[in-house]
Amino acid sequence: MQYNYCPGRLRFRDPILRDADIRNAALEVVKLICPQAEITYKENTASVLALYPETAVKPESLKPLLPLLLKLEPKIRFYTPKKKADVLAGIAEIKNKMSVN
């Protein structure tokens, strides 16, 4: 997965985002992190862009998610449809962590 980040703007792209279930689950997490984010998706590039107020998200508040993201990353990098349930479970784990914090 390719990520581009600068304060107020996050873009991530990967063919896995063409799967609507995975994309929608990931977008739910983005909305939990920053409810005021404006999110767009481009099918032709399998790219999600989230624009948000720079001060709305403090990077240090996301540090607890890092272990979960690192655990999920290999499943995304070497994705096959057989791994869909594992990817969705990993996203759900991140979502639950966000809900608790």
Side-chain angles (χ1 to χ4, degrees):
M1 184 163 290
Q2 176 186 353
Y3 301 92
N4 299 93
Y5 166 80
C6 64
R9 177 185 171 100
L10 171 65
R11 179 180 301 277
F12 50 103
R13 68 179 73 182
D14 193 276
I16 196 172
L17 295 170
R18 288 196 172 100
D19 182 295
D21 295 331
I22 292 173
R23 180 177 64 248
N24 291 335
L27 294 180
E28 286 178 19
V29 172
V30 173
K31 289 176 187 174
L32 277 175
I33 292 170
C34 186
Q36 59 269 59
E38 294 179 31
I39 301 169
T40 56
Y41 170 68
K42 290 187 179 182
E43 177 69 30
N44 62 336
T45 59
S47 164
V48 171
L49 173 65
L51 299 173
Y52 56 91
E54 286 183 34
T55 57
V57 177
K58 298 193 183 326
E60 61 274 2
S61 69
L62 302 176
K63 286 183 182 179
L65 301 179
L66 188 57
L68 298 174
L69 292 168
L70 290 173
K71 186 171 128 181
L72 180 60
E73 192 274 334
K75 296 172 187 167
I76 292 172
R77 185 182 326 153
F78 303 109
Y79 180 74
T80 65
K82 290 180 182 180
K83 295 181 184 176
K84 181 175 179 174
D86 290 339
V87 170
L88 289 172
I91 294 170
E93 193 174 357
I94 292 168
K95 185 177 175 182
N96 289 338
K97 181 77 168 177
M98 287 302 304
S99 298
V100 170
N101 292 342

